[in-house]
Amino acid sequence: MTGFAFSQDQYIFPYGSGPSKAFIKEIIKLTGKEKPKICYLPTASGDRESGIIRWYELVNDLEVEPYVQRVWISSYRQKYTFEEFLLGMDAIVVGGGNTLNMIAIWKAQGIDKVLKKALEKGIVLAGGSAGSLCWFDNGTTDSRPIELSVVEGLGFLPYSHSPHYDGEEFRRPVYHENIKKGVFKDGYAMDNRSGIIFKNGKPFKVVSMGEQYNCYYVSLKDGEVVEEKLDKIILKD
């Protein structure tokens, strides 16, 4: 993670698909706060209302102060900057959707720079699907027409990434192909309902919602793609 100074521990928690209550509980623990402020960023879904409702339902009985930061805003209604709001959080959770569009909007609004400041400040960053892809150097996305393609992330984690590894037919072969061709460096693939907590840029803890959901380190050795299944801790909602 070139350019990051670890004055305090920095946590990023990407997972393969949507959030679970158990994953949110892990995020709460990572903040070290009794009742942390956690903000949901639904940019990738176009600030879809159903996702926002689902977020509030998910955390309804948890010890958190839940917030949402939309990007489809008006200067007449929002009287604070994205930086002022997001840097006041203890954790930021990014929702799924179109990764390519999300990152383009973030860069247009300067949110990408705010998220880097958040990480450096020790704010926990998390998310699944588009919300996991965004933290890595690059990965496979369904953000363009016709077929899976390559998307560039924010580079907070210096690896490639594939979410939905068990949930979509073409994720694994396309990821393997790009690693073999050298388009991607070695990286981490995550089944739906599994994830990896990174501490200061390194894998720290692998979690899963069931024995069948796994995370993998995928690398190129002697010209062949190799998957290493990572030891995991099974969580319960």
Side-chain angles (χ1 to χ4, degrees):
M1 294 176 65
T2 305
F4 290 86
F6 300 128
S7 58
Q8 56 185 311
D9 287 332
Q10 299 173 1
Y11 292 102
I12 302 179
F13 178 19
Y15 36 85
S17 59
S20 67
K21 189 160 291 190
F23 287 174
I24 301 301
K25 289 177 182 177
E26 288 295 308
I27 294 168
I28 293 170
K29 285 190 274 187
L30 291 173
T31 69
K33 302 289 182 66
E34 289 187 7
K35 192 171 184 178
K37 296 179 179 180
I38 304 182
C39 180
Y40 176 61
L41 271 181
T43 313
S45 65
D47 294 346
R48 188 168 57 217
E49 200 64 29
S50 60
I52 293 171
I53 292 169
R54 170 62 179 150
W55 162 248
Y56 282 117
E57 290 174 344
L58 193 64
V59 300
N60 180 55
D61 60 349
L62 299 179
E63 286 297 311
V64 303
E65 291 184 37
Y67 296 86
V68 172
Q69 178 59 68
R70 295 170 172 85
V71 296
W72 304 99
I73 55 92
S74 162
S75 54
Y76 293 107
R77 295 193 302 271
Q78 181 163 313
K79 296 302 181 182
Y80 49 82
T81 67
F82 291 119
E83 181 168 344
E84 288 168 343
F85 186 75
L86 292 174
L87 294 189
M89 296 295 122
D90 299 303
I92 297 168
V93 176
V94 178
N98 190 301
T99 312
L100 186 71
N101 291 352
M102 174 180 73
I103 290 178
I105 291 170
W106 283 355
K107 289 183 176 180
Q109 293 280 16
I111 293 172
D112 58 327
K113 294 181 175 64
V114 173
L115 291 171
K116 183 176 180 181
K117 289 182 180 180
L119 181 63
E120 292 170 340
K121 187 180 177 183
I123 296 170
V124 177
L125 305 179
S129 190
S132 64
L133 269 169
C134 61
W135 310 123
F136 291 86
D137 278 349
N138 49 27
T140 54
T141 182
D142 59 359
S143 296
R144 299 180 179 91
I146 302 176
E147 61 187 9
L148 295 177
S149 59
V150 174
V151 67
E152 298 299 316
L154 298 178
F156 296 175
L157 294 172
Y159 318 99
S160 64
H161 175 52
S162 176
H164 306 300
Y165 209 50
D166 66 333
E168 298 177 13
E169 179 183 359
F170 296 107
R171 289 284 179 171
R172 182 180 253 111
V174 170
Y175 190 52
H176 281 206
E177 180 184 6
N178 279 293
I179 287 181
K180 193 164 188 176
K181 287 181 176 179
V183 176
F184 293 159
K185 63 178 71 172
D186 299 350
Y188 292 90
M190 300 174 192
D191 289 346
N192 292 343
R193 298 176 64 77
S194 69
I196 303 173
I197 297 170
F198 290 83
K199 179 180 179 180
N200 300 333
K202 303 291 185 182
F204 174 68
K205 183 179 181 181
V206 180
V207 295
S208 170
M209 295 304 299
E211 192 60 47
Q212 68 271 40
Y213 306 117
N214 294 290
C215 293
Y216 305 86
Y217 180 67
V218 187
S219 61
L220 191 65
K221 295 181 180 178
D222 299 323
E224 296 298 325
V225 176
V226 177
E227 289 184 355
E228 176 190 349
K229 186 187 295 186
L230 304 177
D231 293 337
K232 61 183 181 286
I233 296 170
I234 306 295
L235 304 177
K236 293 183 179 180
D237 270 334

